[in-house]
Every structure is written in C-alpha cells, then in structure tokens.
Amino acid sequence: MSRPVMAGGPRSPSAGEASGTTGAEAMDGREPMLSRADALCRELVARTAAQLEPWSRLLEAARSLGEALVAGDPAAIEAAVVEQERWLGVIDRLERRRYRLQEELASAWGLAPSALTWEALARRRPELGAELRRVRDALRARIEGVEAENRRNRALAQQGLAWSRFVLQGVAGASAHTAPAYGRDGQRPWRPPALIDRAY
C-alpha cells in the first residue's frame, strides 16, 4: 500500500523547527521559558543601570548639604534635605522594581532570589559580564560616595549642635547665677542654685 502524497508543495517548517527547537522542546515550554528568562535578565541589568543617575543626584545633594552646613545657611540646608528625600524616593521605587525582576528571574531559573548575585548572573549570561561589571562598579562608587558624605555631614551637624549648646549654656549662665543651664539634650533641667555651674 502506497503512502499518501501531501498536496500543496513542500511542507512549511513548524514554529519549533523555524526556531531551531524540536517539537518536544516547543511542547514542554522550555523555549518560551528561555526567552522569558533572557528578557528578564536584560531588563534587570537595565533597571539596575537606571539607578546610576538618581544615585549621582543624591550624591550631589549630600555634597550641597555639607556646604550648607559649613556656611550655616538654614534655607540651603532645608533645600538640600528636600532634594535628598526626593532622590531617595526615586531610588526606592527603582529598587523595588529591580527586586521584583530579580525574584521573577530567579524563579525562572529555579533559584532563590538571594542566590541571584552579580557573579551568578554573569556566569549564566557571560555576554553581559562587561556591562554588569561596569554598572556594579559605578553604582558601588556612588553609594560609597553618598555614605562618605553622610558621615561628614553627620559630624558637621554634631559639631554645629555642640557649638549651639555651648552658646546657649553661656547665655543662660551669664543671665543670672540662679538660672538653670541647658543639658546635653537641649532641655533646661531644674538644678538647685548651689549646683549651677557655667561649664555644665
């Protein structure tokens, strides 16, 4: 018995054959999963890179705050703080989205989100290794810069508070020997006149 001949010319390749996958691979969903993981991976790198600009702006605001503290300019201090809060909000929104992508990509690869480190990502997508290193190093430099400025600004603020406390103590002590002195927390605790000390 002869086999039937299919009419209509040569058979068109199936979707799986056209994409280089077998029918079994197309049916079990492995190819769509690989495509989704690849898309998530690239979006994750892009979302991480998108944080570079906000972190740069936050670093500028931290530097501006330091200059304002040195100058003793209340208006400039307030403006710098508002700018910092603005960029912190932007960074927070970007980071939340980046972490959701990390969770999705880790799930696609069968990993826990915490296991999806820079190194793990570079191992699975070596073609993105150079871009990952560039983004990681640039982001780390900005974060460390912000942390350094924050430490400096904290020291400046503490120094300013200490000076204000010293002046207030001097004013309170000079006004009357029986006047209460300012304490370390800026409050004016009651103290018996005999214990009043201008150096308190």
Side-chain angles (χ1 to χ4, degrees):
M1 184 174 181
S2 62
R3 296 180 179 178
V5 178
M6 298 182 63
R11 181 173 62 89
S12 299
S14 67
E17 291 169 338
S19 62
T21 63
T22 66
E25 289 173 331
M27 289 178 66
D28 69 10
R30 277 181 283 177
E31 181 61 25
M33 183 61 73
L34 288 174
S35 298
R36 174 173 168 71
D38 185 65
L40 286 171
C41 182
R42 293 181 182 280
E43 187 177 356
L44 178 60
V45 176
R47 288 284 179 173
T48 306
Q51 294 189 26
L52 292 175
E53 178 65 15
W55 274 103
S56 295
R57 298 297 186 183
L58 182 61
L59 179 56
E60 291 174 7
R63 288 171 176 163
S64 297
L65 178 59
E67 293 169 1
L69 287 168
V70 171
D73 187 340
I77 291 172
E78 183 178 358
V81 170
V82 169
E83 190 73 358
Q84 280 187 315
E85 291 176 349
R86 174 193 172 194
W87 290 111
L88 281 170
V90 172
I91 290 169
D92 181 65
R93 289 192 296 273
L94 288 173
E95 179 61 14
R96 288 174 185 273
R97 176 56 180 157
R98 186 206 62 78
Y99 188 71
R100 284 197 297 270
L101 285 169
Q102 181 174 330
E103 288 182 313
E104 292 179 36
L105 181 56
S107 176
W109 282 342
L111 301 172
S114 59
L116 191 55
T117 62
W118 292 96
E119 291 74 17
L121 193 55
R123 282 196 303 271
R124 287 175 173 265
R125 287 292 186 271
E127 72 279 8
L128 297 176
E131 178 67 6
L132 283 169
R133 284 190 295 273
R134 183 192 71 79
V135 172
R136 179 194 60 190
D137 293 345
L139 194 57
R140 179 178 295 168
R142 286 162 175 77
I143 293 173
E144 290 175 350
V146 170
E147 290 176 344
E149 289 296 327
N150 284 344
R151 287 193 297 270
R152 178 173 176 271
N153 292 343
R154 190 181 304 113
L156 288 170
Q158 290 172 345
Q159 181 180 3
L161 289 172
W163 173 251
S164 298
R165 187 164 53 242
F166 172 78
V167 172
L168 288 171
Q169 289 171 358
V171 171
S175 62
H177 290 295
T178 58
Y182 283 86
R184 292 181 179 275
D185 59 358
Q187 303 299 315
R188 298 183 63 181
W190 180 86
R191 294 171 64 83
L195 297 180
I196 293 298
D197 184 345
R198 291 191 184 189
Y200 169 70

